[in-house]
Amino acid sequence: MNTYPAEYLLHPVPVLAVYGLSADQTSTENEKIPTQKDSEESVAVISSSPQTRPSSGRQTPGNNALNLRSSLASTLHSLLHNKHDFTLYEATRYLHQNSANGAQGIPPFRVLSISKDYTLPTPSSSVHSPLSPLTPQSPLYPDGIMSPLWITKYLETPSVIVGFYELWDWSSEPGQGSKPVRETGPLGAHVMMDPTERENDVALAQEINDKRKYFQDKGIKFSAVILLKNRHTEDPSVEERLNLIRKQSGLDAKNSFFTVAPGSHHDLQEFVNTLYRCLYESALQYYSNVIKKLRKKKSKLPSPASSARPSMADLTSNEPQPLSSQGWQLRYDLKIAFFQELKQDIEAALKTCVVAYGLLGDVLAPTSSVTQGLVSLPARGKRWTEARALADCINIKICRFHLFLNDHTAAFSQLNGHLHLFQTYSSAWGMGEQSFEYWEWLSKQYRIFADVIDSAIQAGFKIPLPTAYLTNNGTANVPGSPLLGGSNNNLSSNSQVVGCNPGAIIQHPGFYYHLAAMCCAERRRRFLDIERSEAAKAAAANKESVAPSQLEVLLSKERQVDHSSLTIELLTKSYEQFKKYRNGRMTLYLAAEIAGTYYETGKFEMALKFFERIGKTYRKENWHMVLTSILRWSLRCAKELGSWERAVECLIELMAEELPMAKQKRADIQRELFDVLYHNEASNTIKHAPLTIAMDQINSFLKCSVQFLNQTSFVDTPELYQISLSTDKNSPVLPFRFNAMRVLFSEPQYNCYLEDAGLDEEMKKLDLIDFSKDMTKATTGDYVDWFTKKVDLRVTEHQTRVFQGQIISKDCDGIKIVGVCLDLISPQWNVALSYSFDKLSDDQTVTRRKWLEPSGDPSGRPKFRFISGRGELSAIKITQRPPRIQLSIHQFSPALLDEDFEMCVTVTSEETERIDVTLCMEIKNAEGQAGDYAWFKEAGDKSLESARTFVIGVIEPGQSVSTVVYIHGTGSVGPRLVNLKAEYVLSSASGKAHVPKVEKSESVTIPFVSPFETTFELCAQGEDQGKTVPFDLKRTEKWLMVAAIQCCSTWNLDIESVRLEQEAFEHPYTFLKLLSKMDNFKNQVWKTSHVYNANYLFRLSTMDLTEAMPSVPVGNIVVQWKRHGQEGAYSKTVLKAPALEFQQLSLVVIADIPSELYMGEPFTLTYTIHNPTINLAEYTASIELSDAFVFSGYKQLKGRVLPLSRASYQYTCYPLVAGKVRLPRLKVIAKQQGTEKEVPVELLAVGVVVTLDNALDQQVRQTTVEQQPTLVFVGAKRHY
Amino acid sequence: MSSEINCIALIGKQNNPLYIKNFSNTHPDLKYHYIAHTSIDVIEERVSNGPKNLDLYIGLLYAMEDLAVYGYITNTRVKCVVVVSVTDCVIRDADMKLIFQKVHAAYVNQVCNPFYNLDSQKSLTSKAFIRAIDAIGLTKPTRTTLDI
């Protein structure tokens, strides 16, 4: 029962037989090997017309026409035969296409090549066919139901026959190159045909006619096809010849007589399609007739009830019983169904099949109620086997038809019904669920069902969603519950009550392949069980040689079966299906099953590969239970393979508590791990390469985290870090001893190698192991130059051990702990559990950082303390250490310009060791002036440098050193920025190369103010102008300079001296002479706002008035001063005095009166128009009246005055009133250098006063531009 | 009930198992872990292909061997899977929905615990929650199937 007969399962299509195309056939004809049947006919053919043999010209070489013909024939042959088997969907496509959109489809045909002289099998002399159960020679005799041979028979019985012939032609005659040229005159068409052609054509027609008649008698449609040659298509006479042949052969032009000429492949295909279409109807007709015949026969059967029952005695006898009428009925139904299939009448075929299936079910039933004790087929008998195969095949067909008709529910319930039915039968047959046969059968059913669905899907069938009924309620087709629809019709429309039967939901083929695989696996288990029990029995039976029982035959047969590869094949199919349906996780499950099956077969390598591949997803998604199973399997595989590295990996991961396992088992795992590492002979035969297990990639029983105490640190500062190893609550069950721990830093020089100290004392739940002190550098081994120490490296369950270490960095750098490796070292093994700290796990980002601190008293437990930040700090940043000295500056600001401003700088060392300090100072002026400078008192160098360095020297820890620095500001007032920088190196570090200096900077802003404010007043004391007659080019002016020096300092100042330092002045004509000064004093003390006036009188004279008169610098006033009470030298402040200049003289009118005026006493008023310039001046003048006087003189006048000369006008005035009165004013309008302006009137002896401030800017003075009336005081009358 | 609850499983939104409880004695726990895991794809496919206003109750996911797997997804994308054994009966969706709603309520109670970390991928170990699930799985509900 390994396979079903293919005949039962294939989908039949109408059979078409062709002859006259195949080269083989022609050659058989050539060789003249007539079979018994056709000998008669072939003789007739030969005798009638030997020329018509299509192959007669074959031997003629160089006959291209023949080649052409044979190429046409072979093309047609291949076209006809290119499709032999049709699926249900392909076969019915023609019907659908025709009904749907009228597109011309191609009807399906199974094409047989038969020999030209084919005859239908003549009904044998007996009444029954050779396959009938009634024929003694039949394989079915006497009680068989059906044989695949019958199907084969009808697959080889044509329903339509097509004969291919070729038109006789001269060219096919040997010796004839070509046909004689026919006349092609105007009468050519009417010329009689070539007699030879005619003769041949008639013979051909005769032959066709014979065939037609023969087949028509048998009810088979016959058609003839004439193969034309290229040449024929151009020959008009060919038409006539063809007509003649057709008429004589009695064939219908439309459906039975065809011609084909050589053409393209496509043309020929078209021809074949047309041929098919024309013949299809006839084929269907043929099968309909057959069905009719069968129906008639079936109706003649006696009804099952009335048929004779075999007696009960017959049941026990093994004598074959003749087929019952029920059996006959079944036979007819099967045949009808087959022909309905041939007709592609699927619905009818389905109905017939269902009926036949029901009958068959009864036939197979161990006890049948319907047939009232009809003899059941003896189990495992020949008929039984046949019937079962038949039942299975019909079941498959029914499923297929249902799916084709898009009724998946019916299809699935058919399968389920079939399975249920045979499940109940099976137990009666002694092959119930305990037997491997049952499972084998079940597996097969599922597998074939899966195949059926798969092919349906490929043809466009869609698997409905199991929940489709939830979304579209109104469908009448409630899946899986045909009875629900019937009995609860009123409920099915109500979605509240809707449900589905999960067992009746059709799913995609992957599920059924999987089921098949599971059944196959079960089959194997059952088989092994039975075989084991049989072996036990055989052993018990003490080797008694017994003839092989039926069971043993079965067993020995089963032993040949490779169950596992069958299972794997099924699982793989299922896997592919699920993959197609994008059910990735299901494929993982299937892969696990495949791997398990591989394991069973002993293909451990494959199994391991599968397990490894699928383990990742489960690990990633935390499916620990599944992962545990996979790891256990992997472990077993690895051990079988001797892949000990893999085994160790599995064992280590299995120790993780996340993977659920009993405590005892966990302990076993741990023991096994140590066994593998230390004791097991198989695993310790060779030296294994170092094995590194990335613990952050797997579930780990030991969590490792690192923590730096601080985020940043300084060069040369010890920095602590802690590595905590915490174990799971329940793992490792036994104390677990690591041989070494390696701490790997990003800078290898800090790496540590900690060895186990081999202690055995009791361990605490939480302890702190400080290995930071007394580390030594390894000198030998693999870890030369690593820091090393012996510590206790044991862990046990529910424990946290914290290892504290320290690093001292000599450089500014970022240092990171890149990994911690825990090593298990045995003579043959070196396993490193490697933890890396690149990625943060989710927990770490949220938890606060903790630091384990030893408790104060030695007996107490250490305690965790929260430190700032969250997560895990595996990196530290080392920066330059901060200066640990203090710089303080003592000073009394503001500073005064020009003074040596003293500041006291104190450097206090807070270092723990001696330091060597250098102090740098720089003064920065806001405007960047260069005049400021600074110096150290000790250094004494008073050169004008703004930046200076001074080596202070060694300062003991905690000591301070003071030094005095001076700054000197000159020029402008304003703040100065003084930067002080102390640089130092530790004395311990001094002498080493590249020791970075520690720097501390301090800056202070010193405001500078000027000690003095000075204002200058320059007063010109006019010379007597009257006596400059005659002209004199000499001129002399006296200037009084008053310097008011105000002390601005907030300190009292000791003034040593105030001196005028005259500036040397050389000029050919102009001279300045100090006439007198008043500044001689010694050592005064000036308080704030004290004003001191220094008076200087100068005479400024020039030899030649007409020369340019420069301004003459006076010089500077130098003040020597210091702060009151301060030691040291006097500072010198230079105050610049203003320059003197001649007055700019212009035309002036000077009024002159006597010094005393009295009423009633006349006096003379003289107006002198003085032209001190060197230009001629013209003027007009008029006298203005005054009420206080009567006067006489010119009222109006006009004149000119020469350069450096004057003109006088005198008026005699008589005062009329006393008091302050206005003089009559002479208004002079002078025209000088082209402009006319009024010349101001001045009284004699009015000088110029210029006031200058400290910066020598002339102060704005109220000038009397507008003419003020010239007022005089007139005394009272003296004489009465 | 002819179809007893064989297993109740909760799966976190990162497809990690939150809680898987086996109520049957016919299959090992492992089987249900596999089933719960394979259900993830089916639920995700239904959710992504389904209508936008898909009910929380997804319905039958698939039937495998003798087990029918039902699915449910909460608004926070926590998936619930209930496995029942296949008998030849119609299982009413209303009954399955009820079971899921109870499971959902139990989960909501669990989430309401302020100390429960919603994003934790660890399995649920709360006693109250386990009791609640046990109560759902072990009670014999009223007749929920229509025998055929």
Side-chain angles (χ1 to χ4, degrees):
Chain A
M1 215 161 86
N2 280 329
T3 50
Y4 296 119
E7 291 85 353
Y8 284 159
L9 291 176
L10 62 78
H11 182 77
V13 291
V15 181
L16 168 75
V18 294
Y19 64 84
L21 281 180
S22 155
D24 294 356
Q25 281 168 323
T26 50
S27 64
T28 25
E29 278 178 359
N30 259 352
E31 287 152 28
K32 293 273 179 302
I33 311 172
T35 55
Q36 204 179 355
K37 274 185 260 171
D38 61 12
S39 58
E40 194 184 344
E41 214 165 319
S42 56
V43 169
V45 170
I46 294 161
S47 61
S48 60
S49 61
Q51 298 94 325
T52 51
R53 282 175 311 183
S55 56
S56 54
R58 268 196 92 181
Q59 284 84 5
T60 317
N63 191 334
N64 51 3
L66 184 79
N67 289 347
L68 209 67
R69 181 255 166 204
S70 66
S71 87
L72 170 64
S74 64
T75 313
L76 278 174
H77 183 260
S78 66
L79 279 175
L80 288 166
H81 284 80
N82 66 355
K83 184 123 184 108
H84 206 68
D85 292 317
F86 288 82
T87 64
L88 175 57
Y89 294 90
E90 287 165 348
T92 51
R93 197 172 294 147
Y94 170 64
L95 295 174
H96 285 292
Q97 280 179 347
N98 271 4
S99 60
N101 48 15
Q104 288 273 296
I106 306 154
F109 267 111
R110 176 185 164 88
V111 179
L112 292 178
S113 283
I114 53 172
S115 68
K116 191 173 184 177
D117 35 18
Y118 170 81
T119 51
L120 288 166
T122 44
S124 56
S125 50
S126 68
V127 199
H128 306 294
S129 90
L131 290 174
S132 164
L134 296 174
T135 313
Q137 289 80 27
S138 157
L140 295 178
Y141 180 79
D143 56 353
I145 296 165
M146 195 69 178
S147 160
L149 286 174
W150 183 83
I151 305 232
T152 318
K153 183 176 123 189
Y154 276 95
L155 288 178
E156 279 163 13
T157 308
S159 60
V160 180
I161 290 186
V162 179
F164 287 85
Y165 295 93
E166 69 171 7
L167 209 56
W168 183 87
D169 194 86
W170 279 105
S171 62
S172 53
E173 280 304 298
Q176 289 295 136
S178 67
K179 167 189 161 172
V181 181
R182 274 180 66 172
E183 290 165 50
T184 50
L187 298 173
H190 303 286
V191 171
M192 279 297 290
M193 281 184 189
D194 189 320
T196 325
E197 280 182 357
R198 173 112 194 159
E199 188 187 326
N200 278 311
D201 288 351
V202 169
L204 180 63
Q206 181 61 41
E207 188 187 341
I208 293 171
N209 202 15
D210 286 347
K211 286 275 177 193
R212 180 185 64 80
K213 277 185 191 151
Y214 173 76
F215 288 118
Q216 223 156 31
D217 285 349
K218 309 271 177 186
I220 296 174
K221 163 98 177 172
F222 176 79
S223 298
V225 179
I226 306 294
L227 302 170
L228 297 179
K229 301 189 178 74
N230 272 337
R231 155 161 30 90
H232 289 147
T233 52
E234 295 140 22
D235 191 343
S237 71
V238 168
E239 189 68 23
E240 284 171 45
R241 290 175 62 190
L242 289 173
N243 266 333
L244 180 85
I245 294 167
R246 184 178 59 75
K247 277 175 194 155
Q248 290 199 347
S249 59
L251 287 172
D252 174 19
K254 202 175 165 196
N255 280 326
S256 309
F257 189 81
F258 307 92
T259 56
V260 59
S264 70
H265 190 271
H266 179 76
D267 291 343
L268 291 179
Q269 180 69 59
E270 263 311 303
F271 169 74
V272 169
N273 294 350
T274 320
L275 187 66
Y276 281 174
R277 278 183 212 120
C278 290
L279 299 178
Y280 192 60
E281 272 306 312
S282 317
L284 295 190
Q285 187 59 43
Y286 173 78
Y287 291 119
S288 299
N289 290 340
V290 179
I291 292 169
K292 261 182 226 157
K293 252 184 255 170
L294 282 168
R295 286 238 164 88
K296 211 188 273 172
K297 275 191 188 172
K298 187 184 162 192
S299 65
K300 285 181 193 154
L301 280 177
S303 79
S306 64
S307 63
R309 311 256 121 251
S311 66
M312 287 305 283
D314 290 341
L315 278 174
T316 50
S317 75
N318 272 340
E319 286 301 307
Q321 305 290 318
L323 195 62
S324 67
S325 78
Q326 202 185 8
W328 281 104
Q329 202 179 346
L330 175 60
R331 259 180 78 84
Y332 287 129
D333 279 334
L334 288 173
K335 287 181 181 181
I336 290 170
F338 176 73
F339 287 118
Q340 281 166 336
E341 270 189 80
L342 275 171
K343 275 182 69 186
Q344 311 305 327
D345 185 356
I346 303 304
E347 275 157 68
L350 172 61
K351 265 182 218 153
T352 321
C353 276
V354 170
V355 172
Y357 179 80
L359 287 170
L360 198 53
D362 281 340
V363 167
L364 275 167
T367 51
S368 169
S369 58
V370 181
T371 52
Q372 296 160 20
L374 172 73
V375 63
S376 64
L377 293 171
R380 302 177 208 283
K382 186 181 170 210
R383 296 295 173 230
W384 176 84
T385 315
E386 282 173 9
R388 280 202 69 184
L390 192 56
D392 289 341
C393 291
I394 294 174
N395 171 54
I396 293 161
K397 280 212 160 169
I398 294 174
C399 290
R400 198 187 275 162
F401 291 155
H402 276 309
L403 285 177
F404 172 73
L405 298 171
N406 217 4
D407 187 357
H408 54 87
T409 320
F412 194 50
S413 60
Q414 167 64 33
L415 174 77
N416 280 341
H418 180 63
L419 298 182
H420 280 301
L421 186 69
F422 277 79
Q423 190 185 8
T424 46
Y425 288 2
S426 291
S427 46
W429 289 330
M431 42 180 286
E433 288 174 35
Q434 294 77 32
S435 70
F436 57 84
E437 285 170 291
Y438 172 73
W439 292 105
E440 179 200 353
W441 172 79
L442 198 59
S443 167
K444 192 165 172 178
Q445 297 308 306
Y446 278 124
R447 178 195 184 137
I448 293 176
F449 186 66
D451 285 339
V452 167
I453 304 183
D454 195 27
S455 59
I457 286 168
Q458 274 165 17
F461 175 72
K462 291 254 181 321
I463 299 282
L465 271 182
T467 51
Y469 68 95
L470 281 177
T471 43
N472 42 348
N473 264 328
T475 48
N477 202 354
V478 178
S481 55
L483 286 182
L484 185 77
S487 58
N488 300 325
N489 221 355
N490 52 340
L491 297 177
S492 64
S493 57
N494 185 352
S495 65
Q496 290 301 308
V497 193
V498 163
C500 66
N501 178 1
I505 293 285
I506 198 164
Q507 305 182 83
H508 69 73
F511 285 99
Y512 302 107
Y513 282 126
H514 177 242
L515 267 176
M518 293 298 100
C519 294
C520 197
E522 184 66 24
R523 169 191 180 186
R524 177 172 179 273
R525 274 191 289 277
R526 298 291 175 189
F527 162 66
L528 292 178
D529 280 353
I530 290 171
E531 191 168 53
R532 224 173 290 131
S533 67
E534 282 302 301
K537 251 187 254 169
N542 209 0
K543 294 168 198 156
E544 275 180 51
S545 59
V546 192
S549 69
Q550 194 185 19
L551 182 62
E552 272 178 46
V553 174
L554 273 174
L555 279 174
S556 67
K557 218 168 118 193
E558 190 73 6
R559 272 184 213 111
Q560 312 295 319
V561 179
D562 184 358
H563 298 91
S564 300
S565 51
L566 270 180
T567 312
I568 287 170
E569 187 197 334
L570 287 167
L571 285 171
T572 312
K573 278 188 169 205
S574 179
Y575 181 94
E576 277 157 13
Q577 288 289 339
F578 277 106
K579 206 164 154 190
K580 204 164 87 186
Y581 286 90
R582 291 198 205 84
N583 220 327
R585 290 183 175 84
M586 184 62 101
T587 59
L588 294 181
Y589 167 61
L590 292 170
E593 296 269 359
I594 293 172
T597 315
Y598 273 126
Y599 177 79
E600 281 175 2
T601 4
K603 290 178 183 161
F604 303 113
E605 214 161 317
M606 283 298 282
L608 194 58
K609 219 185 272 176
F610 269 85
F611 281 129
E612 265 177 41
R613 204 176 308 160
I614 60 179
K616 285 174 200 152
T617 307
Y618 292 112
R619 189 176 291 128
K620 199 178 86 199
E621 297 188 342
N622 288 338
W623 291 79
H624 299 309
M625 170 77 92
V626 178
L627 183 60
T628 311
S629 146
I630 286 170
L631 285 174
R632 283 184 162 282
W633 281 106
S634 305
L635 174 63
R636 258 176 262 171
C637 291
K639 280 200 287 192
E640 292 282 356
L641 282 173
S643 166
W644 293 103
E645 283 86 354
R646 179 78 192 117
V648 167
E649 283 173 26
C650 292
L651 284 167
I652 297 244
E653 183 160 14
L654 277 171
M655 281 183 61
E657 196 190 26
E658 279 99 341
L659 306 183
M661 199 182 297
K663 190 161 184 167
Q664 189 51 47
K665 289 210 168 164
R666 185 99 56 203
D668 290 345
I669 292 284
Q670 194 177 344
R671 269 187 221 105
E672 192 173 348
L673 174 64
F674 281 99
D675 181 55
V676 167
L677 291 181
Y678 295 101
H679 311 299
N680 192 321
E681 283 179 21
S683 62
N684 280 299
T685 45
I686 50 152
K687 176 114 180 114
H688 294 274
L691 174 66
T692 303
I693 301 172
M695 295 303 277
D696 39 5
Q697 311 268 314
I698 63 170
N699 292 296
S700 162
F701 67 98
L702 184 69
K703 310 277 177 293
C704 177
S705 63
V706 293
Q707 202 70 269
F708 271 107
L709 181 57
N710 298 313
Q711 298 195 341
T712 53
S713 180
F714 307 113
V715 169
D716 275 340
T717 312
E719 193 49 46
L720 292 176
Y721 60 88
Q722 289 186 343
I723 297 162
S724 34
L725 303 180
S726 45
T727 52
D728 287 338
K729 233 176 215 167
N730 294 310
S731 178
V733 183
L734 315 168
F736 196 105
R737 187 188 290 279
F738 290 104
N739 300 92
M741 174 159 84
R742 283 176 283 146
V743 188
L744 306 166
F745 287 87
S746 55
E747 304 296 317
Q749 71 261 31
Y750 305 112
N751 287 354
C752 295
Y753 183 73
L754 304 174
E755 282 180 290
D756 184 49
L759 299 178
D760 273 325
E761 64 211 24
E762 190 84 359
M763 280 187 286
K764 288 178 227 149
K765 272 203 157 179
L766 173 67
D767 57 357
L768 177 64
I769 298 156
D770 192 344
F771 65 90
S772 56
K773 307 278 179 331
D774 310 325
M775 303 268 293
T776 51
K777 283 234 173 188
T779 48
T780 55
D782 293 339
Y783 305 107
V784 172
D785 274 354
W786 288 37
F787 292 103
T788 176
K789 192 172 177 178
K790 280 195 189 305
V791 292
D792 186 13
L793 285 177
R794 290 170 303 154
V795 289
T796 185
E797 59 185 18
H798 203 195
Q799 193 192 26
T800 301
R801 311 206 86 183
V802 178
F803 296 85
Q804 179 169 305
Q806 73 173 18
I807 52 166
I808 300 170
S809 173
K810 297 286 178 201
D811 300 302
C812 297
D813 208 349
I815 296 175
K816 186 169 163 52
I817 299 181
V818 290
V820 170
C821 287
L822 294 163
D823 293 346
L824 291 165
I825 302 164
S826 75
Q828 306 297 342
W829 284 93
N830 189 351
V831 181
L833 311 190
S834 156
Y835 294 85
S836 72
F837 303 100
D838 295 330
K839 283 169 285 179
L840 284 180
S841 77
D842 294 342
D843 297 353
Q844 287 171 343
T845 49
V846 292
T847 52
R848 290 182 61 185
R849 297 208 300 132
K850 285 194 289 188
W851 185 258
L852 188 66
E853 291 201 325
S855 69
D857 59 310
S859 59
R861 278 159 49 101
K863 269 187 187 160
F864 274 111
R865 151 177 92 87
F866 284 119
I867 51 177
S868 68
R870 287 178 185 278
E872 188 174 81
L873 187 65
S874 61
I876 189 166
K877 196 161 168 53
I878 306 286
T879 52
Q880 190 52 264
R881 54 183 296 135
R884 292 174 66 192
I885 54 170
Q886 294 291 330
L887 266 184
S888 60
I889 299 164
H890 191 69
Q891 43 95 2
F892 303 100
S893 63
L896 302 174
L897 285 177
D898 301 320
E899 104 181 293
D900 294 335
F901 181 64
E902 185 182 277
M903 295 197 299
C904 182
V905 179
T906 308
V907 183
T908 309
S909 164
E910 292 169 0
E911 288 287 352
T912 48
E913 47 185 310
R914 296 167 58 182
I915 52 172
D916 198 354
V917 184
T918 306
L919 198 60
C920 304
M921 180 170 68
E922 189 182 10
I923 180 163
K924 275 189 179 147
N925 204 325
E927 296 94 65
Q929 287 180 352
D932 302 333
Y933 57 94
W935 75 97
F936 288 90
K937 187 181 181 184
E938 277 86 348
D941 176 17
K942 275 182 93 170
S943 61
L944 305 176
E945 277 175 41
S946 63
R948 280 175 186 281
T949 305
F950 175 62
V951 179
I952 288 181
V954 171
I955 303 179
E956 296 292 329
Q959 299 297 308
S960 56
V961 168
S962 295
T963 184
V964 174
V965 296
Y966 292 104
I967 54 172
H968 185 100
T970 55
S972 56
V973 298
R976 307 310 201 253
L977 184 72
V978 179
N979 285 334
L980 276 165
K981 186 170 75 178
E983 293 177 339
Y984 69 93
V985 288
L986 293 170
S987 62
S988 62
S990 61
K992 290 182 197 163
H994 309 301
V995 180
K997 284 182 175 168
V998 186
E999 292 180 355
K1000 166 101 179 183
S1001 289
E1002 199 73 51
S1003 60
V1004 61
T1005 306
I1006 309 278
F1008 271 79
V1009 296
S1010 170
F1012 307 107
E1013 288 282 341
T1014 321
T1015 50
F1016 293 94
E1017 227 172 65
L1018 292 173
C1019 303
Q1021 297 180 344
E1023 292 284 294
D1024 177 19
Q1025 308 218 343
K1027 54 178 191 180
T1028 53
V1029 181
F1031 307 133
D1032 190 356
L1033 286 177
K1034 274 190 191 168
R1035 183 150 163 214
T1036 304
E1037 281 177 4
K1038 269 193 203 161
W1039 285 90
L1040 176 66
M1041 184 174 79
V1042 181
I1045 302 169
Q1046 185 184 20
C1047 172
C1048 299
S1049 160
T1050 46
W1051 281 70
N1052 291 350
L1053 298 183
D1054 286 351
I1055 307 294
E1056 190 200 27
S1057 64
V1058 177
R1059 260 183 302 116
L1060 176 74
E1061 287 181 354
Q1062 252 188 291
E1063 211 164 298
F1065 178 73
E1066 288 290 325
H1067 195 270
Y1069 305 110
T1070 311
F1071 309 98
L1072 182 72
K1073 196 183 175 207
L1074 178 65
L1075 299 178
S1076 69
K1077 61 176 182 179
M1078 251 173 61
D1079 60 354
N1080 284 336
F1081 70 96
K1082 282 275 179 194
N1083 298 339
Q1084 290 183 352
V1085 176
W1086 291 0
K1087 293 189 173 160
T1088 311
S1089 303
H1090 176 97
V1091 179
Y1092 170 77
N1093 280 347
N1095 300 330
Y1096 302 95
L1097 184 65
F1098 298 98
R1099 185 168 60 216
L1100 185 64
S1101 54
T1102 180
M1103 301 300 292
D1104 187 352
L1105 199 57
T1106 58
E1107 291 293 326
M1109 287 177 288
S1111 66
V1112 182
V1114 171
N1116 300 316
I1117 298 171
V1118 177
V1119 185
Q1120 296 276 3
W1121 58 275
K1122 64 179 182 184
R1123 290 191 187 214
H1124 182 65
Q1126 205 169 46
E1127 298 295 314
Y1130 285 97
S1131 302
K1132 179 173 117 182
T1133 296
V1134 177
L1135 307 169
K1136 190 167 173 57
L1140 294 179
E1141 231 173 306
F1142 283 101
Q1143 291 178 68
Q1144 200 62 259
L1145 296 178
S1146 60
L1147 206 62
V1148 73
V1149 180
I1150 296 166
D1152 189 16
I1153 50 170
S1155 54
E1156 286 177 345
L1157 305 177
Y1158 297 100
M1159 205 176 77
E1161 294 176 27
F1163 65 95
T1164 305
L1165 166 67
T1166 310
Y1167 280 109
T1168 308
I1169 298 169
H1170 181 203
N1171 181 9
T1173 66
I1174 49 173
N1175 300 318
L1176 176 74
E1178 284 182 8
Y1179 58 89
T1180 55
S1182 58
I1183 190 82
E1184 286 177 355
L1185 297 180
S1186 173
D1187 293 341
F1189 298 97
V1190 284
F1191 59 91
S1192 66
Y1194 294 119
K1195 190 176 183 187
Q1196 265 192 334
L1197 56 101
K1198 188 177 180 178
R1200 53 173 62 167
V1201 56
L1202 292 173
L1204 301 176
S1205 62
R1206 54 191 71 202
S1208 291
Y1209 300 96
Q1210 287 179 337
Y1211 292 86
T1212 305
C1213 302
Y1214 182 83
L1216 296 178
V1217 292
K1220 200 157 187 159
V1221 293
R1222 208 152 62 98
L1223 273 181
R1225 190 169 78 97
L1226 184 71
K1227 189 179 178 185
V1228 182
I1229 306 290
K1231 191 177 177 190
Q1232 219 172 0
Q1233 288 151 9
T1235 58
E1236 263 184 31
K1237 65 175 190 185
E1238 194 181 331
V1239 180
V1241 177
E1242 283 174 19
L1243 281 171
L1244 207 57
V1246 175
V1248 176
V1249 177
V1250 180
T1251 309
L1252 297 149
D1253 64 5
N1254 196 36
L1256 301 185
D1257 292 327
Q1258 194 151 5
Q1259 283 181 349
V1260 183
R1261 228 166 160 219
Q1262 190 70 35
T1263 47
T1264 54
V1265 177
E1266 69 271 23
Q1267 276 298 329
Q1268 278 182 340
T1270 318
L1271 296 175
V1272 292
F1273 188 84
V1274 178
K1277 207 170 183 178
R1278 286 193 293 196
H1279 314 286
Y1280 292 96
Chain B
M1 179 176 176
S2 46
S3 298
E4 284 180 16
I5 297 176
N6 282 9
C7 167
I8 294 177
L10 265 98
I11 300 158
K13 63 181 163 198
Q14 275 130 339
N15 295 334
N16 52 310
L18 286 177
Y19 186 70
I20 294 173
K21 171 76 180 177
N22 178 5
F23 294 105
S24 78
N25 43 19
T26 50
H27 293 281
D29 289 0
L30 179 64
K31 175 91 184 171
Y32 292 110
H33 279 255
Y34 271 123
I35 284 181
H37 190 245
T38 50
S39 304
I40 295 171
D41 282 332
V42 186
I43 294 178
E44 280 180 352
E45 191 203 342
R46 295 274 175 88
V47 170
S48 59
N49 291 354
K52 271 183 189 158
N53 54 347
L54 189 74
D55 196 13
L56 298 183
Y57 173 68
I58 292 171
L60 179 66
L61 302 178
Y62 61 91
M64 195 171 172
E65 297 167 48
D66 54 345
L67 300 171
V69 185
Y70 281 78
Y72 183 91
I73 186 163
T74 71
N75 289 321
T76 52
R77 290 297 179 253
V78 172
K79 304 169 187 80
C80 302
V81 172
V82 168
V83 185
V84 297
S85 51
V86 173
T87 53
D88 201 11
C89 312
V90 170
I91 294 173
R92 298 197 312 181
D93 284 315
D95 298 324
M96 288 313 296
K97 239 181 209 176
L98 198 67
I99 295 170
F100 278 119
Q101 278 158 3
K102 283 186 198 162
V103 174
H104 194 175
Y107 178 68
V108 168
N109 280 341
Q110 167 67 19
V111 170
C112 287
N113 179 354
F115 297 102
Y116 173 65
N117 176 10
L118 209 57
D119 295 321
S120 152
Q121 296 210 13
K122 298 225 162 60
S123 294
L124 294 173
T125 49
S126 148
K127 279 178 191 151
F129 177 77
I130 291 169
R131 263 203 307 277
I133 296 290
D134 281 353
I136 299 165
L138 295 173
T139 43
K140 303 271 177 196
T142 50
R143 193 176 161 71
T144 57
T145 51
L146 299 166
D147 286 304
I148 296 177

